Amino acid sequence: MEKLIRRDLRSFGGYSAATSPDTLDGKIGVETKNIIKLDANENPYGCSPRVQKALAKYSLFHIYPDDGQERLRKMLAAHVGVEAERIVAGNGSNQLIDLLLRLMISKGDEVINLTPTFGIYSFSTRLCGGTLVEVPREDDFRFDVAKVKAAITPRTKIIFIANPNNPTANLAPAKDIEALLDTDVSVLVDEAYHEFSGKTVLPLVGKYDNLAVLRTFSKWAGLAGLRIGYGIFPPEIAAFILRIKVPYNVNAAALIAVEESLKDVDYLMASVDRIIAERKRLMAALKKLTWLRPYPSQANFILCEVLEGDALVLHQKLQAKGILVRYFDQPRLRNCIRISVGKPEHTDALIKALHEIGGR
Ligand SMILES: Cc1ncc(COP(=O)(O)O)c(C=O)c1O
């Protein structure tokens, strides 16, 4: 069968996802349950207790969920304050990135990626047969509007902006996003970390018909494992995405989890506030280590350049102590690690381990 595989995918490397603690079972001297997972920007406080109670009581798991997502879309619309016609939910917001690209990209169409950024944009563009046009970010990880505009051609279909950006954790100024929206190319603003930054482009939704906004319940609501995200699109695009998605892409458990999370926003936002407070404490502690350079963060993670020593070795030494962080070695992210903000005890364990390991 191998010869039937698409030629353009034969050298495809796939997406390198975060390590699952289960896969480390027996390989490090720390029990799986004691692993401190700071590598995937998950929420250490977990989901709302209402979600767990409602799922335990639910008796209709044998029935398919509503394919058209009607109730779900209404709930999400009320939550963000836009019309339900604009909303589509996905199996994680990742699925909506894939669906939007499938809808728009024919072979050879171009997608502008502001690198370094979230890996799924390039992954899904390649899967859809699109051509990636990379515009590297500046030294402070902002993008230069003039350079992005210069990269636009008649084949440009989408510009991706993660805001805050992953893994650099910085926000783009609203005026820079508007400048790109004024080009008429479709702009997807991925607000996966919006709740940790307090900034959003949602007020621009009615003004621009080339704007799409992505949100997720993975981070602020602690539902990464249930896979639920959503997008706010121009209504006609939302209708098309609903047409091309696989049936029942949002499962019944995720649907219940959204409903209960939206009844418990105050509880969940209190966890977000704790994470924001811990981000400040973690940043202060990291700054004291002269061999690390932490970058400012508007998200629930901190990118650090390792100034002395090898980031891969550091990543491995932390892993041996049961602390998982993300390691990067790519242009502009040479010798870097990304640390998710955990609970105070996670910060304490991490900083203790970093002192023990030292910068060499
Ligand atoms: C910028 C960005 N967008 C989207 C996602 C994925 O979200 P989801 O879990 O909803 O697929 C992530 C996850 O790390 C992310 O960093």
Side-chain angles (χ1 to χ4, degrees), residues 15 40-41 90-95 97 117-118 120-121 162-167 190-193 214-219 223-224 227-230 301 338:
Y15 180 74
N41 306 338
N91 188 263
S93 57
N94 281 349
Q95 188 179 44
I97 294 167
T117 191
F118 185 42
I120 291 292
Y121 310 144
N163 207 42
N165 188 39
N166 177 10
D190 181 346
E191 296 191 338
Y193 302 99
L214 279 191
R215 295 277 183 89
T216 179
F217 280 74
S218 294
K219 314 297 177 179
L223 293 177
R227 313 302 302 124
I228 176 77
Y230 60 103
F301 53 87
R338 188 197 66 198

Side-chain angles (χ1 to χ4, degrees), residues 47 71 81 121 123 145 173 178 188 200 257 261 264 278 304 337 341:
C47 65
R71 219 158 61 81
Y121 310 144
F123 167 87
V145 172
E178 280 214 63
L188 184 140
T200 178
S261 298
D264 219 2
E278 194 55 26
C304 292
I337 57 168
V341 180

Side-chain angles (χ1 to χ4, degrees), residues 27 31 64 66-67 91 95 138 146 175 215 237 240 244 248 257 264 297 316-317 332 339:
K27 292 189 190 142
E31 274 187 72
Y64 287 113
D66 168 26
D67 179 51
N91 188 263
Q95 188 179 44
E138 304 302 299
K175 68 171 177 26
R215 295 277 183 89
I237 299 297
F240 260 107
I244 66 163
Y248 319 118
D264 219 2
S297 171
Q316 284 163 344
K317 286 186 176 170
R332 302 295 323 283
I339 305 166

Side-chain angles (χ1 to χ4, degrees), residues 320-338:
K321 289 174 179 284
I323 300 175
L324 309 186
V325 299
R326 195 80 193 233
Y327 159 71
F328 293 95
D329 187 24
Q330 51 183 256
R332 302 295 323 283
L333 296 178
R334 292 277 173 241
N335 223 29
C336 285
I337 57 168
R338 188 197 66 198

Side-chain angles (χ1 to χ4, degrees), residues 196-226:
F196 304 97
S197 76
K199 295 279 190 293
T200 178
V201 294
L202 267 189
L204 300 179
V205 157
K207 185 172 169 196
Y208 290 97
D209 61 7
N210 56 336
L211 170 63
V213 184
L214 279 191
R215 295 277 183 89
T216 179
F217 280 74
S218 294
K219 314 297 177 179
W220 73 283
L223 293 177
L226 280 183

Side-chain angles (χ1 to χ4, degrees), residues 57-70:
K57 276 206 303 218
Y58 190 68
S59 62
L60 295 176
F61 285 125
H62 58 296
I63 303 290
Y64 287 113
D66 168 26
D67 179 51
Q69 311 174 345
E70 277 193 29

